[in-house]
Amino acid sequence: MQIIHTVQALRVSLGHAEDTAFVPTMGNLHDGHIALVRQAARTGSPVVASIFVNPLQFGQGEDFERYPRTLTTDADKLAAAGCDILFAPDVAEMYPEPQAFQVLPPLADDLCGAFRPGHFAGVCTVVLKLFEMVRPRYAVFGKKDYQQLFLLKGMVRQFNLPIKILAGETQRAADGLALSSRNGYLSATERQEAPRLQHELRAIASAIAAGEHHFSVLEAAAAAHLAEAGWKIDYVSVRSQATLRPPAAGEGKLVVLGAAWLNRTRLIDNLEIDRGAF
Ligand code: PAF
């Protein structure tokens, strides 16, 4: 596997190849990322991964500084998973000047965006830049960041980018906790508590599958259970898979999303629900 740090060297290495499968990451890789790399490899195209902790998507007081940087072990994991090129630029390479032009996505103030102002503009902007540098045929993103995946699909569609977005299933620990780089922040006690978010989302999904359609009652009950267990809730919300907005009456393809804090660690998760149109 080649490790490349500059845009110029990346372009030389890729030549005019536009048939790669690309996995953008912020590093500190876990099995969820590795599953995305393997999914990229299954396309048959050469695999490019990037590692860049993007300052533009972190708000004031968020964890940009303490976000774990583990390039050497990440590179070993990527090579073992079948990655051909690792692109790992530094901040000056990605942003040689202040990034005045930015992508302003819809839903930027909703769900996670309501609690992380500027986050999705930062995500879409860096991904657009990475897409332009790598020019992949495929790009793989995990479903754990459901709103991010939704917005990036929209960006690719509306800017006519010749890229097929592939969605990777969320990888989970045996107790149901979605794998995330931020799980590393959890103390042993918090780690034991963490699967509760997923369990509450699962309870909502089961109730909806059983015919319950008072979503706000289910959302409030889940939030109350989490609060009782010591969580600080950003949101628990049932949405339409198609629009990510509150579902229209009778809509069948839903997703329940949640974000909540265990002390200093913010966890997110979601679950798709297909109850068939009725
Ligand atoms: O999901 C992530 O790790 C990041 O948001 C991404 C897509 C690599 C953009 O920085």
Side-chain angles (χ1 to χ4, degrees):
M1 183 181 75
Q2 260 186 294
I3 303 181
I4 294 177
H5 298 285
T6 67
V7 178
Q8 197 191 1
L10 179 70
R11 293 212 160 115
V12 170
S13 172
L14 287 171
H16 292 292
E18 293 193 1
D19 68 337
T20 55
F22 180 36
V23 186
T25 81
M26 298 205 301
N28 196 234
L29 304 180
H30 49 67
D31 288 350
H33 295 109
I34 298 308
L36 302 182
V37 173
R38 294 195 196 286
Q39 188 170 350
R42 283 197 297 275
T43 63
S45 296
V47 176
V48 180
S50 65
I51 293 181
F52 178 64
V53 185
N54 172 33
L56 215 59
Q57 71 187 73
F58 288 81
Q60 284 247 311
E62 290 190 354
D63 55 345
F64 175 68
E65 267 84 27
R66 69 172 178 141
Y67 203 87
R69 272 92 169 161
T70 51
L71 188 63
T72 315
T73 47
D74 288 346
D76 292 345
K77 289 180 187 173
L78 287 171
C83 179
D84 297 289
I85 295 179
L86 165 57
F87 178 49
D90 65 13
V91 173
E93 183 67 14
M94 282 303 283
Y95 299 115
E97 57 185 90
Q99 187 69 32
F101 290 89
Q102 294 200 24
V103 179
L104 293 178
L107 289 161
D109 299 328
D110 198 3
L111 299 171
C112 281
F115 299 89
R116 304 189 67 189
H119 171 67
F120 287 113
V123 168
C124 290
T125 301
V126 81
V127 171
L128 185 62
K129 283 167 74 87
L130 288 165
F131 280 174
E132 184 48 36
M133 293 165 186
V134 177
R135 302 205 172 183
R137 176 166 300 166
Y138 303 97
V140 194
F141 297 91
K143 282 192 186 178
K144 203 207 71 165
D145 295 297
Y146 204 87
Q147 188 174 8
Q148 166 175 286
L149 172 65
F150 180 87
L151 293 178
L152 292 173
K153 279 183 182 164
M155 182 176 84
V156 161
R157 242 183 6 255
Q158 294 195 1
F159 286 126
N160 305 86
L161 306 180
I163 299 171
K164 186 169 166 44
I165 301 278
L166 306 176
E169 292 302 327
T170 302
Q171 305 295 308
R172 298 186 179 279
D175 60 7
L177 178 66
L179 298 192
S180 160
S181 298
R182 290 191 169 98
N183 293 349
Y185 297 152
L186 299 170
S187 70
T189 332
E190 290 164 353
R191 173 63 190 79
Q192 272 198 312
E193 174 59 26
R196 191 184 301 273
L197 178 58
Q198 164 66 11
H199 296 163
E200 289 299 331
L201 301 186
R202 207 163 277 289
I204 292 180
S206 308
I208 292 175
E212 177 61 60
H213 51 268
H214 294 106
F215 301 148
S216 56
V217 175
L218 298 173
E219 292 160 356
H225 297 154
L226 288 164
E228 273 162 32
W231 296 65
K232 185 175 109 20
I233 293 88
D234 278 357
Y235 63 85
V236 174
S237 191
V238 177
R239 297 295 175 101
S240 149
Q241 284 182 32
T243 63
L244 219 54
R245 306 217 183 248
E251 210 170 338
K253 285 187 180 294
L254 307 177
V255 54
V256 55
L257 307 104
W261 293 80
L262 264 180
N263 300 317
R264 288 183 66 207
T265 307
R266 184 175 189 272
L267 297 177
I268 63 173
D269 205 346
N270 65 78
L271 211 54
E272 289 178 323
I273 309 161
D274 192 347
R275 58 175 180 168
F278 71 96

